Amino acid sequence: MVLIAATVCTKSGKALVSRQFVEMTKARIEGLLAAFPKLMTGGRQHTFVETESVRYVYQPLDKLYMLLITTKASNILEDLETLRLFSRVVPEYCAPLTEAEVLNQAFNLLFAFDEIVALGYRESVNLAQVRSFVEMDSHEEKIYQAVRQTQEREAANRMRERAKELQRERLEAAKRGLPPRGQPSYGSGFGSSSMSSSAASEPIAEKIPTTPARDVGRPSGRSTMKLGSLGTDTESFVSRLRSEGDAAAAQPAARAPADLAKAPPPDHKDVHLRFEERLTLVAGRDGDVQNFELSGLLTLRISNEQYGRIHVHVDNKDSRPLQLQTHPNVDKEAFRCNGVIGLKQSQRAFPLNSDVGVLKWRLNANDDKVAPLSVNCWPSEGAGGSCDVNIEYELERDHLVLNDVNIHIPLPSGNSSVVVHQWEGSYTQKGRTLIWSVPIINKMNKSGSLEFTVTPAIPNDFFPLTVMWTSETSLALLTATKVTLAEEPTPVDYSLEISFHPDKYEIV
């Protein structure tokens, strides 16, 4: 087929959105559109009209028309199939089919039209692909941006903390009449709690230059407004208080907010371990795993300086080929032989009141048996253009407990009716998505199913499925058995936190 133009117009022939796919003057297309209302015959819902040079193929959309202008030599069957796809795309972006909404979504409609037709010829795409191409949504880019923002925030926090320490040292030195001196910091050698921390950004706190203490007795030549940091303003304020004899009371008050910000949550003990796992999985409709990537991070937080030099004993019972990587400051030989996480330099201590990433692990596989939760979708075409859908899930790892499981099922565009026959848990419909919610999936509640019928629909309308959950159990069989002091094998009481959730879990 050779498609000349695709237009959304009113019943009077007024073009709201028009896209030409071949070279044509504005006067020519306006003349073709002006002739269309005069050629229409009433009483038919889906028809075409031919002239000596072109063919009009149109379909009513409430008070509007979806109109295609093609050459007379084009295949009428292909024209009708293309018109059907155009008629499904327009309601996808214009929920109320009104002139104002079509004008508001004009650019999205033009982008979608370009994905369907190129140079006058139909592209082999469906509605789901058109939606994906127009959105151009990159999950990997979102992860990268989130990680980058986390790293920037953590670097800024480290810089502020270091600046506060240097400021307090200068104030102490000024009170004692001594020159300011630096204090070594061990915190900059460790990574942050982010899953993809950058080693290049870690020493940034060490590079902050020290500023000599102000001479309080020196008079200022002129009074001007200066742009400075918060630390400079605080130092000036404390200096004025010191001259009035109130420095002893001002210094604890200035230190109180920082101490309050460092206070750990009430359920965290002096030694807190956090296991965090993220999963990316893409599976086909037949259950074949196309992409599987599990990444994990063990972070350590110490709130009491007497537990700065400790050993964390980790047990790996996973038979799969996990790629384990310890922090550069951790003794790799002790971890490889005994599963003990400790510093290579025994005289050093772990940073205080900061999340320190000490162990990473990763698992890449394409085996169909690695998926923690299998989800199968069985759509089948029924009578009258309907589609019967059966979705079932099954837990593949008995040690897992998945909470707040939500399976997002896309629905066809347009005015489709959904009738649910059988379900586990609960379900709700939000826009063009059916959300199936199961509060908990464990070895006692391993499987469940959902059955519903949608009219009208085709099997491709229900993909891709998206699965989300939260869990306090990890997929990798890595556990912390105990925590002991580095000098002697005295047990240390610790708290444990586990988080396992999918970044991307799709059935395409």
Side-chain angles (χ1 to χ4, degrees):
M1 63 173 292
V2 178
L3 184 61
I4 298 175
T7 305
V8 179
C9 63
T10 63
K11 291 188 176 182
S12 62
K14 175 186 175 183
L16 302 178
V17 175
S18 181
R19 181 71 171 99
Q20 286 69 252
F21 301 102
V22 295
E23 291 221 12
M24 181 179 296
T25 63
K26 181 179 179 181
R28 172 62 174 160
I29 188 63
E30 287 179 348
L32 292 174
L33 293 176
F36 169 64
K38 304 174 184 178
L39 301 173
M40 286 191 302
T41 57
R44 289 185 290 178
Q45 291 296 315
H46 188 173
T47 185
F48 65 93
V49 178
E50 290 186 353
T51 65
E52 295 180 357
S53 57
V54 297
R55 176 188 295 143
Y56 297 91
V57 186
Y58 64 95
Q59 179 175 333
L61 298 175
D62 291 343
K63 297 181 180 180
L64 307 175
Y65 277 110
M66 181 67 234
L67 172 64
L68 302 183
I69 304 177
T70 69
T71 61
K72 292 184 67 175
S74 65
N75 190 325
I76 184 62
L77 297 180
E78 293 183 2
D79 294 347
L80 296 175
E81 183 64 25
T82 305
L83 177 62
R84 180 174 180 269
L85 181 57
F86 271 100
S87 300
R88 296 178 62 196
V89 164
V90 174
E92 178 72 19
Y93 295 99
C94 306
L97 285 172
T98 60
E99 295 185 24
E101 186 65 17
V102 171
L103 294 175
N104 189 37
Q105 299 292 333
F107 284 103
N108 286 331
L109 291 176
L110 292 176
F111 295 151
F113 289 176
D114 286 342
E115 298 295 339
I116 299 174
V117 178
L119 299 177
Y121 293 92
R122 161 80 184 273
E123 295 286 343
S124 179
V125 294
N126 54 34
L127 179 60
Q129 291 174 323
V130 171
R131 187 190 307 121
S132 176
F133 294 157
V134 172
E135 289 178 356
M136 289 298 292
D137 189 14
S138 174
H139 185 72
E140 289 75 11
E141 181 182 3
K142 288 183 178 179
I143 296 177
Y144 171 77
Q145 294 293 344
V147 170
R148 183 175 180 179
Q149 293 175 4
T150 302
Q151 291 175 348
E152 291 176 353
R153 286 196 300 268
E154 292 176 349
N157 291 335
R158 287 198 297 268
M159 291 175 63
R160 283 194 294 268
E161 292 298 328
R162 183 59 179 160
K164 291 178 182 179
E165 293 178 6
L166 294 175
Q167 178 186 344
R168 286 195 293 268
E169 291 174 7
R170 291 195 300 269
L171 294 176
E172 291 289 342
K175 287 176 59 179
R176 299 173 184 175
L178 300 175
R181 61 183 180 88
Q183 181 178 356
S185 173
Y186 300 108
S188 62
F190 289 89
S192 66
S193 60
S194 170
M195 299 296 297
S196 302
S197 60
S198 172
S201 63
E202 291 166 350
I204 189 168
E206 299 286 349
K207 298 180 181 179
I208 301 177
T210 57
T211 304
R214 284 189 182 182
D215 187 358
V216 181
R218 179 181 301 175
S220 176
R222 69 172 76 176
S223 176
T224 59
M225 179 181 294
K226 295 184 179 180
L227 298 178
S229 64
L230 179 62
T232 305
D233 298 336
T234 306
E235 182 180 353
S236 176
F237 178 67
V238 174
S239 300
R240 292 196 301 269
L241 289 180
R242 187 188 304 124
S243 63
E244 300 174 4
D246 294 337
Q251 190 170 352
R255 192 179 295 128
D259 296 339
L260 183 61
K262 294 181 180 180
D267 58 339
H268 288 193
K269 298 184 179 179
D270 292 339
V271 177
H272 181 72
L273 302 178
R274 174 179 171 83
F275 286 81
E276 183 179 5
E277 286 187 332
R278 297 179 178 177
L279 175 64
T280 299
L281 186 145
V282 179
R285 304 180 187 183
D286 298 330
D288 56 313
V289 176
Q290 301 175 3
N291 181 27
F292 179 94
E293 181 177 348
L294 177 70
S295 57
L297 176 68
L298 171 59
T299 57
L300 170 65
R301 184 181 182 89
I302 299 176
S303 306
N304 192 333
E305 60 182 357
Q306 67 176 343
Y307 300 127
R309 290 185 288 273
I310 59 173
H311 285 167
V312 180
H313 298 255
V314 178
D315 186 16
N316 179 15
K317 295 182 180 179
D318 207 309
S319 59
R320 295 167 296 183
L322 287 178
Q323 302 175 13
L324 301 174
Q325 180 182 2
T326 58
H327 190 275
N329 288 346
V330 171
D331 191 347
K332 292 180 173 57
E333 190 64 25
F335 177 76
R336 184 167 51 249
C337 298
N338 304 317
V340 176
I341 296 177
L343 295 177
K344 289 188 293 187
Q345 301 180 11
S346 58
Q347 71 276 11
R348 293 183 59 181
F350 284 104
L352 194 64
N353 294 321
S354 63
D355 294 331
V356 180
V358 294
L359 177 65
K360 292 181 180 181
W361 61 94
R362 184 179 298 274
L363 176 62
N364 294 311
N366 290 324
D367 188 1
D368 297 346
K369 299 180 180 179
V370 297
L373 182 70
S374 61
V375 180
N376 295 318
C377 180
W378 300 86
S380 58
E381 296 184 0
S386 64
C387 199
D388 299 324
V389 184
N390 187 299
I391 302 177
E392 59 181 4
Y393 67 82
E394 184 174 359
L395 185 66
E396 302 293 342
R397 301 286 174 175
D398 290 344
H399 71 281
L400 287 177
V401 178
L402 307 182
N403 302 311
D404 300 327
V405 181
N406 291 321
I407 301 177
H408 294 248
I409 308 155
L411 298 175
S413 60
N415 298 324
S416 301
S417 64
V418 181
V419 179
V420 180
H421 308 292
Q422 179 182 348
W423 67 91
E424 305 285 341
S426 61
Y427 68 90
T428 181
Q429 182 177 351
K430 292 185 178 180
R432 296 187 179 93
T433 303
L434 183 64
I435 303 177
W436 180 21
S437 302
V438 181
I440 185 171
I441 299 178
N442 53 23
K443 64 180 180 180
M444 304 299 295
N445 182 27
K446 295 181 60 174
S447 61
S449 62
L450 172 70
E451 297 181 8
F452 61 94
T453 301
V454 180
T455 307
I458 59 175
N460 287 336
D461 291 335
F462 306 99
F463 294 95
L465 279 75
T466 304
V467 186
M468 303 176 64
W469 70 74
T470 60
S471 178
E472 295 181 356
T473 55
S474 61
L475 180 59
L477 299 178
L478 284 174
T479 57
T481 57
K482 61 180 178 179
V483 177
T484 60
L485 295 177
E487 296 83 0
E488 55 186 10
T490 302
V492 176
D493 195 14
Y494 66 95
S495 56
L496 181 63
E497 179 183 0
I498 299 176
S499 174
F500 171 45
H501 62 274
D503 281 340
K504 179 181 180 181
Y505 201 105
E506 289 185 349
I507 312 298
V508 298

